[in-house]
Each structure stands twice: as structure tokens, then as C-alpha cells.
Amino acid sequence: MEYLEDKYPTPRMFLVEAREKAVCRLWEDEADFITNSYLVVLITETFMKSEGDISIENEKVEIAKKGIETHLDRLNDQLSGGPMICKTFSVADVANFILIAFANTLGVQMTQPRVKTWFDLMLKQPSIKQEYDQIIAAAIEA
């Protein structure tokens, strides 16, 4: 994430106030280390295997989707306090955006209203928009 802040120094992604920084790091870590494990299952089972591959494990796919949907529900609750995860644009928003963008290309739907609004707001950040366009281009190519 640091490379994005180097490349796009404003707005700041790493908050200064200790409590806000801690909350943001928790949301970033949840996206990067917990919820991402579900995304790895989706990639392995749906993207890395062909449609007719009998080894695709549908139960694993459903568990992974449910895990990500649970994260989206929690994120929706968190977003009730403001337009961004930690009130202002932060590393937590970037980590979660990347996860959700990839999950969406693999069939996970955003049904949570605040998550949808947040996602659209994130697309207005120049650094995010550019990275998102690359994610979508790669998904279309594959």
C-alpha cells in the first residue's frame, strides 16, 4: 500500500491520530489476511480451473462467497459512521476496495447499500480508478 501513497501522495492513506490509525489497520488486516483467504479459494476454484473441470468444489466456493458476504455486511455496518471506512480515505479503504473489486469479478455481489455507495465513491479517487481499470481489463482478458 505504501507504493500507492508514494505515487499518489494526496489524499493521505495513513492516518495520523493513534486510535483512527489502529482501527484502520484492523480493517486493512481483516481484508488482507482474513477475508483474502476466501478470495484465494474463489480464485483457485473458479478462475484457475475450467468450467468443465469436475474438481471444482462448489461447497468451497459457496463457503468462500459467504465469508466475503459476511465481511461486506460488517463493512456496511462500519460505513454507517461516514462515507469511508475510517471516516476519511485511508489504507483500509484501499485494501477493502481491491478485495471487493476482485471478489465482484468472481461472482460475489455487493447487495449492501452503504458498501455500494462507498465503492462508487472510491472510484472517484484517481489512484483507485486507475488500479480498478487494470483489474477489470485483466478480468476481461482472462
Side-chain angles (χ1 to χ4, degrees):
M1 296 297 170
E2 285 85 3
Y3 85 94
L4 278 176
E5 189 160 57
D6 291 342
K7 191 172 179 181
Y8 306 97
T10 56
R12 287 181 56 92
M13 288 194 316
F14 295 93
L15 303 181
V16 176
E17 196 273 316
R19 184 182 183 291
E20 289 178 355
K21 186 187 293 187
V23 169
C24 287
R25 287 293 186 168
L26 286 173
W27 277 100
E28 176 196 14
D29 286 349
E30 183 172 335
D32 287 347
F33 301 112
I34 298 170
T35 309
N36 191 52
S37 64
Y38 296 120
L39 184 61
V40 169
V41 171
L42 286 179
I43 290 169
T44 301
E45 294 299 322
T46 61
F47 183 69
M48 304 298 281
K49 295 180 180 180
S50 67
E51 184 83 19
D53 190 338
I54 60 170
S55 68
I56 293 176
E57 298 183 40
N58 291 325
E59 184 178 348
K60 281 185 177 182
V61 169
E62 291 309 312
I63 290 169
K65 285 182 177 180
K66 184 65 177 161
I68 294 172
E69 289 166 0
T70 299
H71 177 76
L72 291 173
D73 290 340
R74 290 187 60 246
L75 183 58
N76 195 62
D77 292 342
Q78 176 69 13
L79 289 166
S80 67
M84 298 293 180
I85 295 172
C86 298
K87 311 288 188 276
T88 63
F89 181 73
S90 72
V91 66
D93 296 295
V94 175
N96 280 276
F97 181 86
I98 293 168
L99 172 94
I100 294 166
F102 273 113
N104 192 252
T105 66
L106 295 170
V108 177
Q109 300 299 310
M110 285 184 283
T111 60
Q112 302 76 3
R114 286 186 291 269
V115 173
K116 287 180 181 180
T117 300
W118 165 83
F119 194 87
D120 292 341
L121 187 59
M122 288 294 291
L123 284 173
K124 293 179 181 174
Q125 298 285 338
S127 57
I128 299 299
K129 176 70 171 135
Q130 184 175 356
E131 297 297 319
Y132 179 73
D133 289 345
Q134 291 175 10
I135 291 170
I136 296 303
I140 290 170
E141 234 178 72

